[in-house]
Amino acid sequence: MYKKFFGLKENPFNVNPDPRYLYLTPNTQEALACLTYGIETRKGFILLTGEVGTGKTTLINKLLEWLHKERVFTAFVFNPRLSVSQFFDFMMADFGIPCESHQKGQMLLKLNQWLLDRYQAGERAVLVVDEAQNLSPQMLEEIRLLTNLETSTEKLLQIVLAGQPELEQKLNQPQLRQLRQRITLRAKTRQLTIEETQGYIQERMRIAGAENPDIFSLEAVAAVHRYARGIPRVTNLLCEHALVSSFVDQKNPVPAEIVEEVARDFDLHIIDPLAQTPPPAPTLGLPASIETNGNGDQPPLIESLLQALNTLVDRLNQAEARAESHAESDTEHKT
């Protein structure tokens, strides 16, 4: 509904982890390079961690896109709340390995032979597990044992575990020390600096087809960064609803006051004692009153979604009423 107003071809702030919209900050480039290097050199276990909403799944999707182009066999487990037998069934099916038996021993024999065939053909296989912080210690141990599928010189199966920081805490448990010792590479996703937030918004606008990527004023970008705390998922949330509100009010570029209004609708101005404070970042040359809350308070991630949506629906209804009124006035004028 606002695409024509802002000159967009598609929605730039969908919450779906579309790899086309991956914004390559230096940290993201480093994490992606770590993942691809580990797979290419058959390092075995690779760990990817990051705070909620910092783009882990988008990065994983970008990795999977690259793996498919490289004709690498992949299995992507996105729901780790599975029993051991369900996990093996899902993995075998995603790899495309036929197995009539559901006995773990038989599945392991099939998997081992299939991996040997891939290795002899010069091919690779990668298992990617997202939301791995939800895996039970028993399931993590089962995954560790998969790395025993190897030749005398190479690991037959490359494994990427991706999850929230709680995953690292779980791996520090004494009973998982064998798994922890087998992790050869570690990558992290981090929050955006204010300059990266500006680049992130502009890049998404460009990919969405905007001829002018500066649809958000500098003050609005600073407000987005302040309330989202550099978290891409919350940045998308704020920007999406700010575009809707600006369309309703017929304002282009998006002003800071609209971002602040949306943030209040989502209660992002309320202090979240569990929220992590992002590292200090350079400013965009704006007054200090714009860059910070003034008292150092950090808002939470996402709350009061229904209330905010109701507010936006009301505004859209008002905009439609105004448009109908203008259309009627134009008709009367012509007659």
Side-chain angles (χ1 to χ4, degrees):
M1 59 192 155
Y2 58 71
K3 288 187 289 188
K4 184 177 179 180
F5 180 72
F6 290 109
L8 301 169
K9 295 179 180 178
E10 58 184 271
N11 184 343
F13 296 107
N14 273 330
V15 294
N16 297 331
D18 188 339
R20 293 182 303 133
Y21 282 91
L22 179 67
Y23 180 60
L24 292 174
T25 66
N27 170 257
T28 307
Q29 288 178 317
E30 181 181 346
L32 186 58
C34 176
L35 295 170
T36 54
Y37 169 77
I39 291 169
E40 286 182 327
T41 55
R42 296 181 181 269
K43 291 295 184 181
F45 253 116
I46 308 169
L47 184 67
L48 171 66
T49 56
E51 191 50 75
V52 176
T54 53
K56 295 182 298 299
T57 302
T58 305
L59 187 61
I60 286 295
N61 284 345
K62 187 69 173 180
L63 175 69
L64 289 170
E65 183 181 73
W66 172 76
L67 291 173
H68 294 157
K69 288 180 181 177
E70 295 291 314
R71 299 187 180 277
V72 176
F73 291 88
T74 62
F76 178 38
V77 180
F78 51 84
N79 180 5
R81 294 189 180 276
L82 302 172
S83 66
V84 173
S85 60
Q86 290 171 334
F87 185 93
F88 275 91
D89 284 341
F90 191 100
M91 178 182 65
M92 297 288 281
D94 216 18
F95 273 134
I97 305 172
C99 187
E100 296 76 19
S101 174
H102 292 283
Q103 296 293 322
K104 188 173 75 171
Q106 291 299 315
M107 285 192 284
L108 284 173
L109 285 173
K110 280 273 189 179
L111 177 62
N112 187 55
Q113 185 57 53
W114 182 81
L115 288 172
L116 283 171
D117 292 342
R118 303 284 73 72
Y119 177 74
Q120 291 167 0
E123 298 167 339
R124 288 165 290 173
V126 180
L127 169 64
V128 179
V129 184
D130 201 5
E131 303 292 346
Q133 75 278 352
N134 294 321
L135 291 170
S136 66
Q138 178 191 9
M139 193 65 249
L140 284 168
E141 179 63 12
E142 291 288 346
I143 293 174
R144 179 190 72 83
L145 292 173
L146 290 176
T147 59
N148 289 335
L149 302 173
E150 58 187 355
T151 68
S152 58
T153 58
E154 301 279 3
K155 295 290 184 183
L156 296 177
L157 180 63
Q158 313 308 306
I159 300 174
V160 177
L161 291 181
Q164 298 167 16
E166 291 83 353
L167 176 59
E168 294 190 55
Q169 298 171 12
K170 183 172 285 189
L171 293 175
N172 284 330
Q173 297 176 18
Q175 66 267 35
L176 293 174
R177 62 188 181 278
Q178 291 188 71
L179 171 57
R180 185 171 67 252
Q181 291 171 2
R182 294 198 181 193
I183 296 172
T184 55
L185 291 170
R186 295 171 182 258
K188 288 180 181 284
T189 57
R190 303 186 187 278
Q191 292 152 279
L192 302 171
T193 66
I194 190 170
E195 289 181 338
E196 289 169 348
T197 295
Q198 182 184 30
Y200 177 87
I201 293 172
Q202 291 177 335
E203 179 67 4
R204 280 187 164 256
M205 289 294 188
R206 184 192 65 78
I207 295 171
E211 294 183 2
N212 174 24
D214 296 321
I215 291 175
F216 283 76
S217 67
L218 290 180
E219 293 82 2
V221 170
V224 168
H225 179 75
R226 181 169 75 248
Y227 289 111
R229 299 180 1 267
I231 296 176
R233 183 181 298 164
V234 187
T235 299
N236 289 351
L237 178 76
L238 281 170
C239 290
E240 163 72 9
H241 291 282
L243 286 176
V244 174
S245 295
S246 290
F247 164 69
V248 171
D249 295 341
Q250 296 291 289
K251 292 183 178 180
N252 185 3
V254 178
E257 54 266 25
I258 281 185
V259 174
E260 291 168 354
E261 186 177 337
V262 172
R264 286 193 297 272
D265 289 339
F266 282 88
D267 287 345
L268 294 179
H269 62 294
I270 300 174
I271 301 171
D272 181 2
L274 298 179
Q276 294 184 359
T277 303
T283 68
L284 293 172
L286 299 170
S289 59
I290 295 177
E291 300 293 344
T292 66
N293 283 340
N295 57 4
D297 293 341
Q298 295 297 330
L301 293 180
I302 301 174
E303 293 180 29
S304 304
L305 177 60
L306 292 177
Q307 179 183 350
L309 289 176
N310 288 334
T311 302
L312 289 171
V313 169
D314 290 341
R315 288 179 185 156
L316 287 173
N317 290 335
Q318 295 170 10
E320 290 176 359
R322 286 201 298 268
E324 291 176 359
S325 177
H326 291 159
E328 292 174 357
S329 298
D330 290 341
T331 303
E332 292 176 358
H333 179 71
K334 290 177 181 178
T335 57

